[in-house]
Amino acid sequence: MVTDRSIIFFDIDGTLLTEEERTLPESAKKAIFKLKELGHEVAISTGRAKFLFEDLRKELGIDTYICYNGQYVVFRGEVIFANTLNQESLNKLTTFALNKNHPVVYMNDKKMTTNVPNDHPYIEESISTLKLGVFPTQEQDFEKYNEIYQGLLFNTEGEDEIYRETFSEFDFIRWHPKSLDILPKGISKAIGIKKLLEYLDFPAERQYAFGDALNDIEMLQLVPNGVAMGNALPEVKDVAAFVTKDVNDDGILYGLQHLGLLPEE
């Protein structure tokens, strides 16, 4: 066991999982188990809904996680923070989006639904890249009767500014050329991490995070030892304390060894 325990947060897509195939490199899997064996706290920090990475949590034996981009925080299986989208504002956004023929997907803690036919090309194109094997079901008014932790808006790049101007109570974070996350203003993975760290006693120098996308920026800025993957966007690399190798090139293992969290083999 290590004498100086650290906490390490890992994004999923493009960080733990490869960008194209969404597979977990064997080197990353072994690295996670080695971290846990050494006594470190390992957590997932993702924009995914909780039901969209259950298999990965089981495979890695991780029961501490932040999902919905900071909206939902679980510590060792116990929910310690949950925040929802404002229903009235979400209803207004839904009407606005439908008038522009822009689909919306809603996610609670069990499933995701959409207000248009679920074979809409924007929905199919973007969600298929995640290799989930599931697509949202079509359910009218789902958002009116359920707690929604995160939404997805589907449009093309350049069509999102009108939403930012009209709905200042939301943040819109693009994760695909045809899709954006819908979050409460100011919510991010960093907020979720802060909520979790209120429960834990890790000094700043023992806090680490790995990420690659726009929704990882606040997380890497918050955590002193923020690591950008080699395949990360330039904006993400700019805020990181260290840039490791590509996810396809054993980037997780290399980064952990560089930081001294794992011994070099």
Side-chain angles (χ1 to χ4, degrees):
M1 298 287 287
V2 294
T3 55
D4 293 321
R5 294 177 66 246
S6 296
I7 185 166
I8 307 100
F9 298 93
F10 292 98
D11 168 54
I12 293 180
D13 298 292
T15 300
L16 283 176
L17 301 185
T18 59
E19 290 185 294
E20 295 298 326
E21 298 302 323
R22 306 292 174 178
T23 56
L24 177 67
E26 187 63 25
S27 62
K29 182 176 181 177
K30 290 180 178 179
I32 297 297
F33 278 104
K34 186 63 177 179
L35 286 175
K36 296 198 299 177
E37 179 185 321
L38 291 171
H40 296 298
E41 188 77 40
V42 178
I44 286 175
S45 182
T46 180
R48 288 195 184 199
K50 63 172 290 189
F51 53 86
L52 294 179
F53 64 106
E54 185 175 358
D55 289 347
L56 181 63
R57 296 199 306 271
K58 290 180 179 178
E59 182 178 1
L60 295 176
I62 295 176
D63 57 5
T64 295
Y65 56 92
I66 294 155
C67 55
Y68 305 101
N69 282 305
Q71 290 272 87
Y72 197 93
V73 182
V74 174
F75 175 57
R76 296 183 180 176
E78 178 186 355
V79 179
I80 62 172
F81 175 72
N83 188 48
T84 59
L85 296 173
N86 180 275
Q87 189 178 78
E88 181 179 355
S89 297
L90 186 58
N91 290 342
K92 291 179 180 178
L93 186 149
T94 296
T95 300
F96 187 89
L98 286 176
N99 286 334
K100 292 186 173 296
N101 295 317
H102 293 159
V104 180
V105 162
Y106 316 94
M107 294 183 285
N108 67 359
D109 61 338
K110 295 181 177 63
K111 62 180 179 179
M112 57 179 172
T113 71
T114 181
N115 52 18
V116 301
N118 58 3
D119 60 352
H120 189 285
Y122 287 6
I123 295 177
E124 285 196 331
E125 179 182 338
S126 55
I127 292 184
S128 65
T129 64
L130 299 175
K131 310 289 185 181
L132 300 173
V134 295
F135 287 87
T137 58
Q138 184 181 4
E139 294 187 35
Q140 293 302 313
D141 297 330
F142 179 82
E143 74 282 3
K144 295 180 180 178
Y145 305 105
N146 292 272
E147 292 187 330
I148 305 301
Y149 294 107
Q150 183 171 303
L152 300 176
L153 174 65
F154 296 85
N155 59 25
T156 58
E157 293 178 278
E159 294 182 303
D160 42 356
E161 195 56 40
I162 185 64
Y163 287 91
R164 294 189 173 93
E165 294 173 355
T166 307
F167 299 97
S168 59
E169 61 270 53
F170 292 129
D171 278 335
F172 299 91
I173 303 174
R174 187 164 290 281
W175 63 274
H176 184 273
K178 299 289 176 58
S179 185
L180 304 99
D181 292 327
I182 306 170
L183 293 167
K185 191 73 174 180
I187 282 286
S188 69
K189 292 182 181 183
I191 298 297
I193 288 175
K194 287 180 180 179
K195 294 292 183 182
L196 181 57
L197 290 176
E198 290 174 3
Y199 278 70
L200 305 173
D201 184 23
F202 286 97
E205 65 271 16
R206 308 303 301 179
Q207 300 169 15
Y208 299 82
F210 286 69
D212 72 298
L214 294 178
N215 64 343
D216 294 315
I217 288 177
E218 291 88 351
M219 174 176 75
L220 299 189
Q221 289 174 322
L222 172 72
V223 174
N225 302 293
V227 180
M229 303 302 292
N231 49 279
L233 295 171
E235 304 97 309
V236 182
K237 293 179 178 179
D238 286 344
V239 303
F242 174 67
V243 178
T244 186
K245 294 182 179 180
D246 192 289
V247 61
N248 293 307
D249 190 24
D250 300 329
I252 293 294
L253 176 61
Y254 179 82
L256 292 170
Q257 290 176 335
H258 174 86
L259 296 167
L261 291 168
L262 289 182
E264 295 191 20
E265 299 176 352

